[in-house]
Amino acid sequence: MRGGVCSIRALAPVLLPRWLCGPGARPARLHGSVRFLSTDSVSAALPARARVVICGGGIVGTSVAYHLAKLGWTEIVLLEQGRLGAGTTRFCAGIVSVAKPLSVESKMADYSIALYERLEEETGVKTGFVRTGSLCLAQNQDRLLSLKRLASRLKVLGVSCNVIKPKDVARLHPLVNIHDLVGALHLPGDSVVSPPDVNHALAVASAAHGVQIYEHTSVNHVVVKKGHVTAVETDRGSIECEYFVNCAGQWAYELGQSGEVKVSVPLHGCEHFYLLTKPLSEPVQNDSPVLIDMDGRIYARAWHGGILSGGFEKNPKPIFTEGRNQLEIQNMQEDWDHFEPMLSALLRRMPGLESCEIQQLVNCPESFTPDMRCLMGETPGIYGYFVLAGMNSSGLSFAGGAGKYLAEWITYGYPSASVWPLDIKRFGNLQSSRTFLRHRVMEVMPLLYELKVPRWDFQTGRQLRTSPLYDRLDMQGARWMEKHGFERAKYFVPAGKDLLALDQSKTFYKPDWFDIVGAEVKCCKEAVCVIDMSSFTKFELTSAGDQALQLLQRLCANDLDVPVGHIVHTGMLNQRGGYENDCSVVRLSKNSFFIISPTDQQVHCWSWIKKHMPSDPQLHLEDVSWKYTALNLIGPRAMDVLSELSYVSMTPEHFPSLFCKEMSVGYANGIRVMSMTHTGEPGFMLYIPIEYALHVYNEVMSVGQKYGIRNAGYYALRSLRIEKFFAFWGQDLDSFTTPLECGREFRVKFDKDTDFLGRDALLRQRVEGVSRRFVMLVLEDHDTELDVWPWWGEPIYRNGELIGVTTSSAYSYTLQRHVCLAFLSPTNTDGSPAAVTADFINRGDYEVDIAGQKFPAKAKLYPFSSLFAQQKRRKDDMELSNFQSK
């Protein structure tokens, strides 16, 4: 390399690269190597019927086939439009690492490593497996802190890892320049493999278990009748089937859109570049650790005595927006100007490469999703149609574990671990716009290596769904975050604050919005605040007879046969007793119900209810989320504001807790006013027809001035609900959490007439005892000003032994301490789950590990009133007139 950048003495021809194309290396082409599978002959007739058809012969599709076969499935057909492994799998860099942002992703990668290691023994196919380990480098203290948090989380999973010093990096990898490093995370279990060989091994093992594999067979569309998969139409005929799995990678979006019934698979391709060098004068050892330099935006691994290095640039190049199709992915055009920043970063990190010869610059496509998480699971509305795609350049790391989870899902109806962060039902049709996907992936790809502090937000694809009050709130200083495409206010910046500095504030420590949120919380407790919560999912279930009631009685653990106007908090449970939905249900009339669920439950909850609805034309479910603006009026003066606007007494005697009335507010009729706030504080939820939203808001703010009213955001709501021990689905609760484990048995009515879903599982658990319990942990000896904050995912120790992790955390402005919610799961000496009792919880000494530093904490099973009595509310001489001046 010369001229400070690059001297290319030898470039490989711009052809389809062969994986490990060093001396004597086997080409990546698998065509012909699997002839014994009867896959090579185009003339071979397809079977007329199969139980499951898998589309996609890359490493993801073959993993699904392998794991289904291992679970005893027969009549499995795998279809590949070109040749096995001729898609993204062929170009994969071959790195398998557990350094992932989510625990479930790290679990999948850890399983993949174990699977790939044993495949050679199982199949006789060499997979190129080498346990090299990896080094995640840190060029600054914030990055090192993020790696320490990752290390704490990985240790919970049993993954070996250590935070090391720069000199240790030099010892493990002498080529690395350490002058600008402050530390690193060493993961000795990480590995490298030959992706096409792993793909081949999975195909061989699958075929040995009876999987039929057909190359050169394109899926035209999936036939759906009455909401169920019935067949797959290919260019070589039709195959009747019960299940279809879309593992089409880059083409998964197009395949989803190809049928009469559209399936949303929100992913988009980007070009991905990596460099191959010829062997160095002193060849790099094959077992040299993989380097992951996220601050430099590059990764590097040993490759036949040389280096393979790629990265995730700030200005990625999206591709295939127009839906271009090709049977096999070819090496696309080199772009040295585009790769130059990554090449410069590589030379800074490994100066010894200055004189090396380059063999090839590879440009290949990778698919990315709107939130950097893969797409997994059964699609909403079509039973038997599953998806596993959108791997965000981690397909090799995820394929083994994701294939296992999806095979379990198809077999048992659920995977063996909670995969909600990856569930395709977290998205809806609103994320299927090609323009949205193109713009979002241009942000997603660089974010893979960006330093992401807690509560960061995407910047692209915004203002997709907004409340009618958006502009009004924006003018009043709202700072926004996005949930399921909906803009929600985080907090409101008072006039005179430096908005730019506040927006750019990113830290693991005390945030700049601390005092702003504190003032909003204080107003919620002492006066009255308004929070726009229009993003909540809202359904109406109606029937001509009692069908709606009977359905809800079957789906809900609580008793819905209550008087008209009453509100019931309830879980919708699965057969295991776990939460599929946590919602509030209002009985509007004898045969009409209003269901309120979390924002990101919109698709999942709809799908769950529809799945269990009988085919009855007199039973109707409607999504009315867009019809109502929801205002949360929180605080002791909320009743005064509403009384003035409605000329109706709002005192508890006249308007009891958990009650709903349709009222007039200002000039607007038909406002559904509910005495609940989702925070434990007094107040009301107002569900307002959208055409009245601005009028009602203006009236509330006008009348509320004399009572000290102000806007508040979701950060204040979070603080209030966590200090009151309120669990939220998707953060604290999931499909594996039962009401008995989180102290909600009082919301389970075992004696109601209807046998609700999950009842038998809960009765067994009540007899056997629970092996995990939801607790509140109040941190002690934690300096809010100087110490790293807990956010979520921090390990918890009881008497020095690991016992759980936090699920959500917030600073309690009432207690003036941090509060964490968590599940504790003790084990017996043999590793089996142990029963958890109140005595066990109360007798332990607890610590919370925040980025490697442990802080003592007190555990509480319930938010005892004494907890708050210990912290007297500081009296403030601020009069209501002072509130009016703000």
Side-chain angles (χ1 to χ4, degrees), residues 329-608:
I329 297 172
Q330 304 294 316
N331 187 26
M332 296 178 294
Q333 185 175 359
E334 294 180 342
D335 190 337
W336 284 100
D337 290 337
H338 191 79
F339 189 72
E340 193 278 331
M342 288 177 283
L343 180 60
S344 297
L346 176 63
L347 292 178
R348 286 193 298 270
R349 186 56 55 216
M350 306 176 77
L353 300 181
E354 183 75 30
S355 60
C356 78
E357 292 188 52
I358 294 172
Q359 176 157 315
Q360 189 171 9
L361 178 63
V362 177
N363 177 6
C364 58
E366 289 276 6
S367 58
F368 298 87
T369 64
D371 62 357
M372 298 184 291
R373 302 172 186 173
C374 74
L375 304 170
M376 176 191 296
E378 190 172 22
T379 59
I382 302 180
Y383 305 118
Y385 192 123
F386 287 80
V387 172
L388 186 55
M391 294 295 163
N392 299 282
S393 203
S394 293
L396 185 63
S397 293
F398 293 159
K404 172 179 178 287
Y405 284 150
L406 194 74
E408 292 170 343
W409 203 330
I410 297 170
T411 303
Y412 306 117
Y414 54 89
S416 57
S418 175
V419 295
W420 168 247
L422 314 178
D423 193 328
I424 193 170
K425 288 188 285 294
R426 71 189 187 273
F427 292 123
N429 289 327
L430 61 94
Q431 286 95 357
S432 289
S433 159
R434 292 302 272 175
T435 303
F436 166 80
L437 290 170
R438 180 183 176 90
H439 291 175
R440 175 57 67 86
V441 298
M442 292 175 69
E443 179 183 12
V444 161
M445 190 171 170
L447 276 172
L448 290 175
Y449 276 9
E450 285 281 354
L451 179 65
K452 293 179 283 295
V453 300
R455 303 192 188 179
W456 60 273
D457 301 297
F458 287 108
Q459 300 304 308
T460 56
R462 298 295 296 269
Q463 298 184 32
L464 184 59
R465 302 172 70 199
T466 61
S467 159
L469 305 178
Y470 177 85
D471 290 338
R472 184 89 154 84
L473 300 179
D474 194 59
M475 291 177 61
Q476 296 181 71
R479 313 324 286 166
W480 300 96
M481 62 181 181
E482 172 257 335
K483 189 79 164 180
H484 197 56
F486 211 111
E487 297 294 327
R488 312 199 305 183
K490 297 184 286 190
Y491 49 81
F492 287 77
V493 180
K497 281 277 187 179
D498 186 341
L499 302 185
L500 182 62
L502 194 63
D503 286 343
Q504 293 177 344
S505 172
K506 298 178 180 179
T507 180
F508 291 99
Y509 293 85
K510 178 182 175 182
D512 286 353
W513 45 256
F514 179 82
D515 291 332
I516 294 174
V517 174
E520 291 178 3
V521 169
K522 180 181 175 64
C523 188
C524 286
K525 289 179 173 292
E526 298 182 359
V528 58
C529 275
V530 178
I531 302 180
D532 185 348
M533 298 177 67
S534 301
S535 66
F536 267 21
T537 296
K538 301 173 278 290
F539 299 147
E540 286 185 359
L541 184 67
T542 58
S543 61
D546 65 352
Q547 298 97 323
L549 175 62
Q550 292 304 315
L551 175 61
L552 289 177
Q553 289 288 66
R554 172 65 175 158
L555 291 179
C556 299
N558 212 334
D559 190 357
L560 273 297
D561 193 5
V562 295
V564 171
H566 283 244
I567 303 170
V568 178
H569 293 315
T570 182
M572 292 185 182
L573 310 181
N574 52 42
Q575 293 286 6
R576 306 183 308 278
Y579 282 93
E580 291 293 338
N581 184 24
D582 185 41
C583 56
S584 301
V585 182
V586 185
R587 192 167 195 176
L588 299 176
S589 66
K590 182 179 180 181
N591 298 318
S592 177
F593 297 84
F594 189 63
I595 303 169
I596 306 161
S597 298
T599 302
D600 54 4
Q601 276 280 70
Q602 187 169 13
V603 178
H604 179 78
C605 182
W606 175 272
S607 179
W608 183 256

Side-chain angles (χ1 to χ4, degrees), residues 70 180 210 214 252 366 414 447 496 629 632 644 647 786 795 862-863:
K70 284 285 190 177
D180 60 344
Y214 294 86
E366 289 276 6
Y414 54 89
L447 276 172
T629 297
N632 196 349
E644 282 200 36
Y647 295 96
L786 301 177
Y862 296 97

Side-chain angles (χ1 to χ4, degrees), residues 273-305:
F273 297 86
Y274 62 78
L275 179 75
L276 306 175
T277 78
K278 291 189 174 181
L280 306 189
S281 55
E282 185 175 338
V284 181
Q285 296 299 308
N286 286 339
D287 61 353
S288 296
V290 172
L291 294 180
I292 303 174
D293 185 359
M294 288 181 279
D295 295 314
R297 296 189 169 277
I298 58 169
Y299 59 82
R301 57 156 292 191
W303 184 82
H304 280 280

Side-chain angles (χ1 to χ4, degrees), residues 113-130:
I113 291 172
L115 172 65
Y116 302 159
E117 185 175 26
R118 69 174 185 263
L119 269 179
E120 184 172 337
E121 180 180 351
E122 181 180 340
T123 64
V125 177
K126 293 186 179 297
T127 60
F129 182 91
V130 181

Side-chain angles (χ1 to χ4, degrees), residues 17 19 28 30 56-62 80 83-94 193-200 202 247 249-250 274 329 364-366 395-396 399:
W19 177 255
L30 298 181
I59 197 166
V60 173
T62 54
E80 165 54 47
R83 298 168 297 173
L84 286 179
T88 304
T89 298
R90 169 167 294 186
F91 293 92
C92 181
V193 296
S194 167
D197 291 326
V198 172
N199 193 80
H200 179 46
L202 288 169
C247 298
Q250 293 286 333
Y274 62 78
I329 297 172
C364 58
E366 289 276 6
L396 185 63

Side-chain angles (χ1 to χ4, degrees), residues 679-698:
T679 64
E681 300 295 330
F684 303 89
M685 286 291 303
L686 279 62
Y687 285 88
I688 310 160
I690 57 171
E691 64 267 29
Y692 300 145
L694 190 58
H695 167 76
V696 172
Y697 173 79
N698 288 338

